[in-house]
Amino acid sequence: MKNLVYRARAMLRKLSEDDVEFIVCSNNSYAWNPALCCQVDSEEFEALCVRGMDESLGNEERIDACLQAVELYQGEFLPKSAYLSWVIAQSAYFSSLYNKAVYQAAALLRAENRLEQVAEVCEHAAAFASFEEGIHFALLKALIETGQRRKAIAHYEYLAGLFYEKLGVTLSEPVRALYKEMTAGMEALEADLDSIERDLREAEKPQQAFYCDYEIFKQLYRVQARSIARTGQSVHIALLTLRDSNGEAPDMRLMQSAMNQLRTVSLSSLRKGDVVSAYSVNQLVIMLPMTTFENGQKVLRRILSAFAKKRRKYDCYIDTKLREISPSAY
């Protein structure tokens, strides 16, 4: 211990031309020299957050304090010591303060009709609070209100994938409702067919089935349901449900990994024109256009066979259901 403190003192002395003792020994304990004036970013951050929440101050002062706090925050508190119990508590506290500062800044900026700044603040915050859905909601709303609908749609699709892959959950109803609003409100711009085709074309040549958000899946389903009455073609819907040995939904830690594997084997086992989506945390729904019931069963057996190779690892099984879309219902 004495050797470590000696080395630390030697390194710290290089920071000052004066003969200053940064670490002192008192009452058989080592401590930072309280006589030294120093600036601590965590204390400054906390003070700025408190100032931003002070309703006795003017809006501009509060906005400035919140924006400074948001800019000062750099993510997890003491990441190299994140396993220590006191660090865990402090990290959670600062993370909560940061989220409050972001929400406060967004609300105050919105009151001033500074919507572009709302989008900037929330976009910056989304990198540090990836799973704080309220921040993403505020970002999407600001992007829509500033005319950045395409960017909002792209962010929603990224977010839906992130929540499903990392947490095994779908986005909340308010966020999904916002997605419906932004897609329904897109205005068509005059363009020639070449530019439209370039916009619609996939960036890369598809190698497997199409995976999409459930809201998109519903729209594709409805298109198929409308067309089969006229074409007479057969379209089937399959539901794959992940269950543990007791027939229940698996433990969340197991379920996330197993569902990722199920999605992977499903996409690689299907045709490029088939469509896959997450219906719930332990269910995938699949649309099989131009497929008979017998061929649909073969497809499901192929998926089950591919997943069975991993079954010992996951200790779970897949329950399947297959049904043809009836044109008489539409």
Side-chain angles (χ1 to χ4, degrees):
M1 181 68 176
K2 289 182 178 179
N3 288 337
L4 288 173
V5 173
Y6 174 81
R7 290 169 58 191
R9 281 172 167 164
M11 295 175 70
L12 288 167
R13 285 195 189 98
K14 297 176 182 178
L15 301 177
S16 175
E17 295 179 357
D18 301 325
D19 187 17
V20 177
E21 198 66 79
F22 288 85
I23 300 175
V24 296
C25 184
S26 177
N27 297 324
N28 204 32
S29 298
Y30 289 115
W32 186 263
N33 188 346
L36 293 175
C37 180
C38 58
Q39 184 177 358
V40 183
D41 58 355
S42 59
E43 294 177 356
E44 184 181 356
F45 170 75
E46 187 174 15
L48 286 168
C49 289
V50 171
R51 186 173 178 80
M53 305 296 169
D54 189 348
E55 295 183 0
S56 66
L57 301 176
N59 272 14
E60 199 57 44
E61 289 180 84
R62 296 175 67 192
I63 290 173
D64 186 58
C66 287
L67 292 181
Q68 285 187 60
V70 169
E71 186 176 357
L72 186 60
Y73 187 79
Q74 296 297 313
E76 187 179 8
F77 178 67
L78 298 181
K80 292 184 179 180
S81 301
Y83 59 91
L84 298 175
S85 58
W86 75 270
V87 174
I88 293 172
Q90 283 295 102
S91 184
Y93 170 68
F94 288 131
S95 176
S96 176
L97 271 186
Y98 175 72
N99 291 340
K100 289 179 182 178
V102 172
Y103 286 129
Q104 187 69 72
L108 293 171
L109 288 168
R110 179 173 289 280
E112 301 285 336
N113 202 33
R114 293 155 63 176
L115 299 178
E116 289 188 359
Q117 275 189 276
V118 174
E120 290 175 6
V121 169
C122 292
E123 188 170 16
H124 178 269
F128 295 114
S130 301
F131 301 107
E132 185 68 20
E133 198 172 12
I135 290 177
H136 291 287
F137 181 86
L139 170 58
L140 291 171
K141 193 171 181 63
L143 289 174
I144 294 171
E145 292 169 336
T146 54
Q148 303 179 70
R149 290 182 179 270
R150 291 190 183 279
K151 187 173 181 179
I153 291 172
H155 185 73
Y156 173 89
E157 291 172 351
Y158 155 77
L159 188 63
L162 177 70
F163 270 55
Y164 177 72
E165 290 178 17
K166 300 298 183 183
L167 302 179
V169 299
T170 56
L171 296 172
S172 66
E173 180 56 35
V175 179
R176 296 203 303 271
L178 198 60
Y179 177 75
K180 292 178 184 177
E181 176 188 328
M182 69 175 100
T183 51
M186 288 192 71
E187 300 177 357
L189 298 175
E190 185 177 344
D192 58 31
L193 283 176
D194 287 339
S195 62
I196 292 174
E197 186 180 10
R198 284 194 299 272
D199 186 46
L200 294 174
R201 189 183 301 132
E202 293 187 62
E204 299 179 359
K205 185 177 180 180
Q207 301 297 323
Q208 55 186 13
F210 180 66
Y211 183 83
C212 62
D213 180 79
Y214 186 63
E215 291 299 322
I216 297 175
F217 185 93
K218 286 197 295 187
Q219 301 302 322
L220 296 174
Y221 175 96
R222 290 164 184 168
V223 170
Q224 291 286 356
R226 291 184 180 199
S227 66
I228 57 177
R230 177 177 57 83
T231 63
Q233 294 176 340
S234 176
V235 180
H236 285 76
I237 296 294
L239 181 66
L240 280 61
T241 304
L242 185 70
R243 302 190 188 281
D244 62 17
S245 56
N246 297 319
E248 305 293 335
D251 175 82
M252 182 58 72
R253 290 174 297 176
L254 168 66
M255 182 158 55
Q256 181 179 335
S257 177
M259 284 299 289
N260 285 340
Q261 185 62 47
L262 178 59
R263 185 179 69 169
T264 299
V265 299
S266 296
L267 291 174
S268 60
S269 300
L270 296 167
R271 302 165 300 179
K272 296 176 185 178
D274 297 331
V275 185
V276 182
S277 180
Y279 182 71
S280 70
V281 293
N282 67 322
Q283 292 179 303
L284 287 183
V285 61
I286 300 173
M287 183 159 51
L288 303 168
M290 295 180 289
T291 302
T292 63
F293 186 80
E294 291 74 18
N295 286 337
Q297 288 181 315
K298 290 180 181 179
V299 169
L300 293 182
R301 285 196 293 269
R302 189 161 62 242
I303 293 173
L304 294 179
S305 176
F307 185 81
K309 297 176 181 177
K310 308 288 184 180
R311 181 173 177 176
R312 182 173 299 176
K313 174 184 177 182
Y314 294 115
D315 191 27
C316 55
Y317 69 95
I318 308 298
D319 181 29
T320 64
K321 289 183 174 64
L322 182 67
R323 179 177 301 175
E324 183 178 6
I325 298 177
S326 173
S328 61
Y330 301 91

